[in-house]
Amino acid sequence: MRDPLATPLALPCGATLANRLCKAAMTEGVADERLCATPRHETLYGTWSEGGAGLLLTGNVQVDRTDLERPGNVAIDPTDPRTVSAEARARLARWARAGTAAGNHLWMQISHAGRQAPWYVTREPKAPSAVQLRLLGNYRRPRALTEEEILDLIGRFAFAAQVARETGFTGVQVHGAHGYLASSFLSPVTNRRTDAWGGSLENRARFLLEAVRAVRRAVGADFPVAVKLNSDDFRKGGFSHADCLQVVRWLDEEALDLLEISGGTYEQPRLVGAVGRADDALPLRPSTRAREAYFLDYAAAIRRVARMPLMVTGGFRTRAGMEAALASRDCDVIGLGRPLCWQPDFPRRLLAREVDGIERVEDRLRFAASGWRSPESPLLLLKVLNTFGAMSWYYCNIFRLADGRPADPGRGMLAALVEYLRDELAAARRVQRARGD
């Protein structure tokens, strides 16, 4: 019997993925002060390429150098010659060669941080509406985009996709999830516009749909184009699962090659298995809590309306869980993120049947103080510290892989948090000096 995880997947555009495993997008934070790719990208993605997944997705490459998710982002900004120069493109090409060394696909995730841009690297975030993200005082109030700026940003997504193809990436993904710009257009909580870009769901989805159309025109019919979409924001009054189903119906008409299903935003970080403020959180379905994959129940409903291949990311840890998801036809590709930060060859070993799963290190990445251990703690600050501490642990292991060193699973979470904050703020200062801020 053929291994379902090793079965190739033919995409609508004509490309083929060698197997059903994907290294999902994770922010790398290893760009230089000019927001260009570096040899650390080459080392990191060379390691992941040899790791066995048929598809690698990059971390979010920004289309606006002034509105960043973090200081280590790569940017492709047509208004900044440094990010699109011959040297910048040569660096992207070296990244692409390293990331496809084992014959796998490498798709560039194209994004705009929107209001989720921290103060230390973005002076004036831009968003559909001036709705501030209130989280540890880390985000400034955004400025509402003008229609001219919205149209310009749509063009920037297309431009970045064209650069991706020209420099050797084998596909692109438009980031429409997790509360970043395209996602914040979709949500009535963050999109309070009264023009053609807000109000009805059709208007709120316009930015994402127009960006996808522009990207497809830029890269042609034979190049993979994907979208990452929230199954639900899990926030009261936000982008709902019913909204998602309708947007998927519209995306059916856009010649997509893969739709990745995720969920949550910075306020409700379900993408990392965490819960934010209790006062505006929506519960997960009981059957979803029982599954190892966070969003598989939502994908099952999406599967009934989606005509493109589906990918689900978040929570997969065992071969049995992955095989069951594929056998149910609720998804076609398994997205793996954080496990590959500390076991980058996990896909290869899984396909070779050397392992049947991977440990959930999150269960031991908790502050040890009394009352801090439980993710259900009523104290939001402690929840946030747990979430950011665990994320820092993964970030620091990404840095180790990018430096050609093995991951350090035994590293303490508090030490990782301190290291991450120190690195992040130092990188921010370098970016600020390079931009003349």
Side-chain angles (χ1 to χ4, degrees):
M1 180 182 297
R2 187 164 194 175
D3 182 353
L5 300 182
T7 303
L9 177 65
L11 302 176
C13 70
T16 299
L17 303 181
N19 57 55
R20 301 303 180 93
L21 301 178
C22 171
K23 189 228 49 104
M26 294 180 287
T27 177
E28 307 96 359
V30 296
D32 68 11
E33 68 276 4
R34 298 171 298 166
L35 311 180
C36 293
T38 68
R40 297 178 82 190
H41 286 96
E42 299 167 42
T43 301
L44 179 62
Y45 279 83
T47 298
W48 276 329
S49 178
E50 297 294 338
L55 170 62
L56 308 181
L57 286 166
T58 74
N60 40 14
V61 173
Q62 303 294 332
V63 301
D64 181 351
R65 68 181 180 88
T66 68
D67 199 315
L68 303 175
E69 174 260 346
R70 62 186 297 200
N73 289 154
V74 170
I76 299 176
D77 185 331
T79 70
D80 183 355
R82 295 173 298 180
T83 69
V84 294
S85 66
E87 171 60 22
R89 291 171 187 251
R91 291 180 177 215
L92 290 172
R94 290 194 291 270
W95 180 9
R97 282 196 298 272
T100 55
N104 55 283
H105 275 260
L106 174 63
W107 296 359
M108 180 186 289
Q109 185 186 73
I110 307 169
S111 185
H112 187 289
R115 74 188 192 116
Q116 294 182 170
W119 65 266
Y120 51 81
V121 75
T122 299
R123 282 187 172 183
E124 185 181 58
K126 294 176 283 292
S129 303
V131 180
Q132 186 172 1
L133 170 60
R134 300 189 184 279
L135 186 63
L136 299 180
N138 208 28
Y139 302 92
R140 291 190 169 108
R141 183 179 178 85
R143 175 178 61 78
L145 290 159
T146 67
E147 181 165 29
E148 182 179 7
E149 289 173 322
I150 291 171
L151 296 173
D152 173 68
L153 287 172
I154 290 170
R156 288 173 182 239
F157 274 81
F159 177 78
Q162 183 177 356
V163 171
R165 178 162 196 168
E166 291 171 351
T167 54
F169 291 83
T170 63
V172 292
Q173 183 189 64
V174 176
H175 199 335
H178 297 171
Y180 297 118
L181 185 69
S183 176
S184 65
F185 264 98
L186 289 169
S187 171
V189 172
T190 49
N191 183 350
R192 301 176 183 177
R193 302 178 72 96
T194 57
D195 61 6
W197 303 94
S200 67
L201 178 59
E202 183 176 15
N203 285 357
R204 288 183 276 121
R206 184 180 173 195
F207 181 87
L208 175 62
L209 295 174
E210 292 291 346
V212 170
R213 291 165 189 156
V215 164
R216 176 55 79 190
R217 288 193 297 269
V219 299
D222 62 341
F223 192 72
V225 174
V227 165
K228 187 168 191 170
L229 184 70
N230 273 358
S231 56
D232 198 307
D233 282 356
F234 302 107
R235 182 180 183 184
K236 294 175 183 177
F239 181 69
S240 68
H241 184 54
D243 290 340
C244 169
L245 294 176
Q246 180 55 59
V247 171
V248 171
R249 293 186 183 96
W250 290 327
L251 288 170
D252 278 338
E253 308 302 321
E254 303 304 328
L256 282 187
D257 293 288
L258 189 66
L259 176 64
E260 180 183 2
I261 301 304
S262 190
T265 65
Y266 280 19
E267 285 102 337
Q268 295 297 334
R270 299 297 174 83
L271 59 154
V272 293
V275 179
R277 289 193 303 259
D279 59 345
D280 66 0
L282 292 178
L284 280 172
R285 298 174 181 178
S287 57
T288 299
R289 286 198 297 269
R291 290 176 181 262
E292 83 174 41
Y294 305 145
F295 308 111
L296 200 54
D297 276 1
Y298 299 87
I302 293 167
R303 173 80 286 168
R304 290 194 287 271
V305 300
R307 297 203 295 265
M308 72 291 284
L310 289 185
M311 168 176 160
V312 174
T313 300
F316 284 110
R317 294 296 184 274
T318 67
R319 168 180 278 275
M322 298 175 202
E323 288 183 349
L326 295 174
S328 69
R329 300 189 183 277
D330 291 340
C331 69
D332 304 287
V333 177
I334 304 296
L336 300 170
R338 290 172 293 170
L340 274 59
C341 295
W342 65 288
Q343 287 197 14
D345 63 345
F346 174 60
R348 178 188 61 76
R349 296 172 66 213
L350 189 68
L351 292 169
R353 295 188 180 273
E354 296 174 8
V355 296
D356 290 321
I358 194 167
E359 179 189 359
R360 286 185 57 90
V361 295
E362 296 91 335
D363 294 338
R364 55 187 174 87
L365 291 181
R366 299 288 178 191
F367 286 102
S370 176
W372 290 31
R373 186 179 300 272
S374 170
E376 301 303 323
S377 168
L379 300 177
L380 178 60
L381 177 59
L382 302 186
K383 288 184 180 181
V384 170
L385 286 172
N386 267 324
T387 299
F388 277 92
M391 288 172 59
S392 299
W393 187 91
Y394 288 104
Y395 289 151
C396 289
N397 277 308
I398 286 177
F399 294 156
R400 290 181 64 89
L401 296 178
D403 291 332
R405 298 185 292 166
D408 180 11
R411 185 174 183 79
M413 188 170 71
L414 282 172
L417 179 58
V418 171
E419 179 183 341
Y420 163 71
L421 291 174
R422 183 178 64 241
D423 183 272
E424 190 82 346
L425 293 176
R429 287 191 293 270
R430 292 192 294 270
V431 170
Q432 290 165 0
R433 285 196 297 267
R435 290 194 306 208
D437 291 354

